[in-house]
């Protein structure tokens, strides 16, 4: 055995003892990684020993080589289980740290519900469908032409003041937030030929002081029927049936004279109070009647404006307040509750309605 071989054998022994001793002391996965690179890594002690074989005389290399390789295998085998144990400890520690207490009650998911106005709108759409009316929808930002002119409300007409209007600033044409759903009367008639039977649910806007029964935005449902020989009796029968579908078969409808430039004659209509059966109570403010909206026979000027011949066809139109109906149905005493987005109101409501 040459001196060099002696030296190598001694080195192997030193490395073995040291490496195995240290392996015992490893406490963490990081220690293990470090140990591995110190001994078995590309610049580790064992690797260097193996590389040093080249310095030996040729005939000594096989024996020394075997010894070094054996060391490598021995250390690799010893390292495996230690490394595995430390890696498992890391996972175990993480599992403890991330533990979820499954005995805690879960967070209740927030479930949305339909808005009261949407519920009533959907109900009205269903009722009118039974009566042969199709629901159509129109723009909330309107031109003065549809909101006023085609409804027989000319520019300087005093009636134009009635709808304290929110104007959209523009250079040219008058643009407004629609003050009612009536502009869809003209839009629909321009598009269709009689017979026409539509309803138009939607929002309308007025620039006015707010209180428990007035909002600057509210929801209406317009109705329009145009055909040969449509009469006021058709109007009354239709509204009567809607009131009965909404509030029960006992209900009656009341018409009183009223003025709207786009109808002639015009009425306001009310339903007898379902709460007190018309005897008078808090809900109907002791009148026995609940106001529902305006209506009348379509004015000949409106028919002419869209190219219909008032000698050939006639029609009725009405606009009912959806907010009012929702207030009555659900006993809400402030119209502002619908639009002010108070989650408590909406939640109470969602729970009450289900
Ligand atoms: N547009 C009217 C309003 O907002 C209601 C109405 C509609 C009256 C149709 C008559 C006919 O007050």
């Amino acid at each position: 055995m040459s001196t060099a071989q002696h030296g190598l054998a001694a080195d192997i022994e030193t490395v073995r003892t040291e490496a195995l001793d240290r392996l015992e002391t490893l406490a963490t996965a990081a220690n293990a990684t470090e140990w591995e690179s110190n001994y078995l890594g590309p610049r580790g002690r064992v690797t260097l020993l193996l590389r040093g074989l080249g310095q030996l005389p040729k005939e000594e290399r096989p024996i020394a080589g075997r010894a070094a390789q054996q060391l490598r295998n021995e250390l690799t085998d010893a390292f495996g289980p230690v490394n595995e144990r430390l890696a498992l400890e890391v996972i175990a520690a993480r599992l403890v740290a991330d533990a979820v207490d499954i005995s805690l009650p879960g967070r209740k998911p927030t479930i949305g519900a339909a808005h009261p106005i949407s519920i009533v709108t959907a109900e009205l759409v269903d009722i009118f469908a039974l009566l042969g009316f199709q629901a159509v929808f129109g723009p909330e930002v309107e031109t003065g032409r549809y909101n006023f002119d085609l409804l027989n409300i000319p520019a300087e007409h005093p009636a134009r003041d009635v709808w304290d209007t929110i104007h959209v600033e523009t250079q040219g044409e008058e643009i407004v937030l629609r003050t009612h759903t009536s502009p869809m009367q003209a839009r629909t008639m321009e598009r269709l030929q009689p017979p026409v039977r539509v309803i138009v649910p939607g929002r309308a806007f007025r620039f006015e002081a707010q209180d428990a029964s007035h909002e600057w935005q509210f929801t209406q449902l317009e109705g329009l029927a145009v055909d040969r020989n449509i009469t006021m009796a058709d109007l009354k029968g239709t509204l009567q049936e809607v009131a009965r579908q909404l509030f029960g078969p006992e209900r009656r409808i009341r018409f009183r004279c009223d003025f709207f430039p786009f109808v002639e004659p015009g009425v306001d209509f009310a339903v007898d109070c379902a709460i007190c059966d018309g005897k008078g109570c808090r809900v109907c403010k002791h009148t026995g009647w609940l106001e529902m909206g305006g209506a009348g026979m379509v004015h000949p000027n409106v028919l002419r404006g869209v190219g219909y011949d008032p000698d050939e066809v006639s029609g009725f139109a009405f606009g009912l307040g959806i907010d009012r109906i929702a207030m009555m149905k659900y006993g809400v005493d402030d119209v502002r509750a619908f639009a002010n987005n108070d989650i408590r109101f909406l939640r109470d409501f969602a729970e009450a309605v289900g």
Side-chain angles (χ1 to χ4, degrees):
M1 204 182 260
S2 74
T3 330
Q5 203 172 3
H6 266 304
L8 189 83
D11 283 351
I12 287 178
E13 218 22 67
T14 313
V15 172
R16 168 183 287 117
T17 318
E18 187 192 300
L20 290 176
D21 280 355
R22 290 209 183 156
L23 192 61
E24 305 262 300
T25 68
L26 300 186
T28 66
N31 293 162
T33 310
E34 194 186 339
W35 183 96
E36 188 180 25
S37 91
N38 275 345
Y39 294 101
L40 302 171
R43 310 187 133 271
R45 305 274 298 275
V46 178
T47 316
L48 295 180
L49 282 178
L50 282 162
R51 274 200 214 134
L53 292 173
Q55 318 287 333
L56 293 178
K58 207 172 171 192
E59 63 282 8
E60 295 177 5
R61 282 182 207 162
I63 299 172
R66 222 171 292 136
Q69 190 55 51
Q70 200 188 336
L71 172 64
R72 191 186 170 86
N73 295 343
E74 189 182 340
L75 292 187
T76 305
D77 289 350
F79 178 65
V82 174
N83 188 39
E84 193 170 320
R85 174 169 53 80
L86 292 175
L88 284 176
E89 274 173 20
V90 170
I91 293 171
R94 196 177 295 159
L95 283 177
V96 170
D98 292 352
V100 173
D101 181 352
I102 56 164
S103 69
L104 277 177
R107 288 197 195 99
K108 228 179 156 187
T110 313
I111 295 174
H115 190 278
I117 296 294
S118 307
I119 296 171
V120 173
T121 303
E123 190 179 345
L124 284 165
V125 167
D126 285 350
I127 292 171
F128 278 105
L130 290 173
L131 297 172
F133 287 78
Q134 183 189 0
V136 296
F137 300 87
E140 292 176 358
V141 180
E142 257 301 0
T143 60
R145 178 174 155 77
Y146 284 102
N147 197 79
F148 300 120
D149 301 327
L150 286 170
L151 290 168
N152 200 31
I153 314 171
E156 302 309 327
H157 197 288
R160 213 145 170 164
D161 298 344
V162 176
W163 290 273
D164 280 350
T165 306
I166 298 171
H167 282 261
V168 177
E169 265 185 61
T170 46
Q171 256 78 51
E173 200 177 356
E174 181 183 20
I175 305 286
V176 302
L177 297 189
R178 67 177 175 195
T179 55
H180 48 182
T181 42
S182 303
M184 276 305 283
Q185 289 186 27
R187 285 188 181 276
T188 304
M189 288 189 281
E190 280 182 346
R191 208 163 50 81
L192 303 175
Q193 286 305 309
V196 170
R197 261 192 215 92
V198 294
I199 53 162
V200 191
R203 257 189 297 184
F205 309 84
R206 290 182 197 173
F207 186 70
E208 61 183 359
Q210 298 186 51
D211 59 33
S213 47
H214 295 90
E215 244 292 30
W216 68 275
Q217 59 166 321
F218 51 98
T219 318
Q220 286 193 327
L221 185 136
E222 192 80 10
L224 174 71
V226 185
D227 202 349
R228 290 178 188 280
N229 304 319
I230 296 252
T231 70
M232 199 94 173
D234 299 313
L235 171 62
K236 195 161 189 185
T238 302
L239 293 175
Q240 174 109 300
E241 183 54 25
V242 171
R244 289 177 176 172
Q245 294 278 346
L246 273 176
F247 298 114
E250 313 293 305
R251 301 281 62 84
R252 288 182 305 140
I253 282 282
R254 179 189 72 185
F255 276 12
R256 288 191 309 192
C257 285
D258 201 349
F259 172 72
F260 301 93
F262 36 94
V263 287
E264 181 57 37
V267 298
D268 75 48
F269 65 100
V271 56
D272 62 335
C273 180
I275 313 274
C276 61
D277 223 11
K279 292 187 189 71
C281 69
R282 199 182 56 84
V283 174
C284 61
K285 302 203 178 75
H286 303 283
T287 63
W289 296 95
L290 295 161
E291 298 282 342
M292 292 187 79
M297 300 306 292
V298 180
H299 196 288
N301 287 350
V302 174
L303 294 174
R304 256 181 235 115
V306 296
Y308 285 9
D309 180 353
D311 294 328
E312 287 285 318
V313 294
S314 56
F316 66 71
F318 58 85
L320 52 85
I322 294 187
D323 307 73
R324 292 248 180 97
I325 294 175
M327 288 169 81
M328 287 182 235
K329 258 186 110 68
Y330 302 118
V332 175
D333 58 9
D334 191 329
V335 68
R336 291 169 293 189
F338 292 130
N340 75 2
N341 259 348
D342 185 334
I343 194 80
R344 290 165 303 179
F345 167 77
L346 296 171
R347 192 176 290 140
D348 276 0
F349 194 85
E351 279 160 16
V353 177

